[in-house]
Amino acid sequence: RPRVGRGGGEPVATLRGHSHSVTDLCFSADSAAVLSGSFDHTARLWDVGRSQCVSCFDVGGALVLSVACRGDLCWAATSSGALLQYDRRRRGEQPCLSVQNESLLQAVASASDEEVLTGDRNGLLKAWDVRTGRCSRQQRVDDSGGPARPISHLEVSPEAWRGHDGARQRLLAANSYDDTVRILAVPAAGGAAEGEAGGAA
């Protein structure tokens, strides 16, 4: 039976402040901060070392269903279909960018410094430009041919993967409330896979 004691799973911080269920979590790249989303209509940014909330982002009465972060940018995907982007470097806790999707957003993941991905209730995967808020492309993930299933979760690989053709590209894992995990290639911003002309080597 697994042992619980010193050196194994000891608490480092306990972060209290949400007034309802926490729905999603995301670490910053340096592990110094955690972003949390909740049914209490907020996303909170926590300093792990100080066990302290350093920013509380109000999402305007919607439920936060998924969160993501990359560098100084944080995202909250909400039950109203809004994707809200916050910049940790800016004063205040209002979004620096807000886009409205046609349906509830259940998943968000950072794809690159230029794009963020969302999955919605209509089963659509969408890529959004983090500077303009424009949706650059979309596709249906569930290829069963039946009614579209909502996308429940998205996860982007931390490193580029080299395919059989030698091209390097990031991968996206997606689930749609069924028994299948789908792995897709993530095109670089602008449509080319990483490792192609104009992409990262």
Side-chain angles (χ1 to χ4, degrees):
R1 193 171 74 179
R3 296 178 59 190
V4 178
R6 295 183 59 83
E10 292 184 3
V12 173
T14 300
L15 310 176
R16 294 189 174 92
H18 282 295
S19 60
H20 211 301
S21 300
V22 174
T23 55
D24 199 18
L25 299 166
C26 178
F27 267 108
S28 62
D30 60 4
S31 300
V34 168
L35 179 66
S36 60
S38 171
F39 282 164
D40 67 3
H41 318 301
T42 69
R44 290 176 179 259
L45 187 67
W46 306 86
D47 183 306
V48 175
R50 292 186 292 164
S51 298
Q52 181 179 345
C53 177
V54 293
S55 294
C56 180
F57 307 121
D58 191 329
V59 301
L63 307 178
V64 180
L65 302 180
S66 184
V67 293
C69 53
R70 186 184 186 91
D72 289 308
L73 296 181
C74 303
W75 295 274
T78 73
S79 60
S80 68
L83 174 65
L84 305 173
Q85 178 176 291
Y86 303 90
D87 191 328
R88 297 165 55 183
R89 297 165 294 187
R90 295 191 177 190
R91 291 181 178 270
E93 298 174 343
Q94 296 302 309
C96 59
L97 184 68
S98 176
V99 298
Q100 186 63 45
N101 191 55
E102 294 84 359
S103 67
L104 174 152
L105 290 173
Q106 296 188 239
V108 60
S110 173
S112 68
D113 291 336
E114 293 81 28
E115 287 187 331
V116 62
L117 305 175
T118 60
D120 68 21
R121 183 172 58 185
N122 292 335
L124 289 177
L125 170 69
K126 296 184 179 182
W128 306 86
D129 188 304
V130 301
R131 294 159 296 186
T132 66
R134 184 179 66 88
C135 179
S136 57
R137 62 186 183 278
Q138 67 179 39
Q139 70 181 84
R140 178 174 166 175
V141 171
D142 173 22
D143 56 0
S144 65
R149 296 184 177 94
I151 295 174
S152 59
H153 193 79
L154 298 173
E155 185 69 27
V156 177
S157 63
E159 300 291 340
W161 172 79
R162 188 179 297 278
H164 299 300
D165 59 359
R168 292 178 61 83
Q169 54 194 349
R170 301 284 291 283
L171 299 178
L172 173 71
N175 183 54
S176 298
Y177 286 119
D178 58 10
D179 59 358
T180 304
V181 176
R182 296 167 179 85
I183 308 296
L184 297 85
V186 179
E194 291 188 38
E196 295 179 0

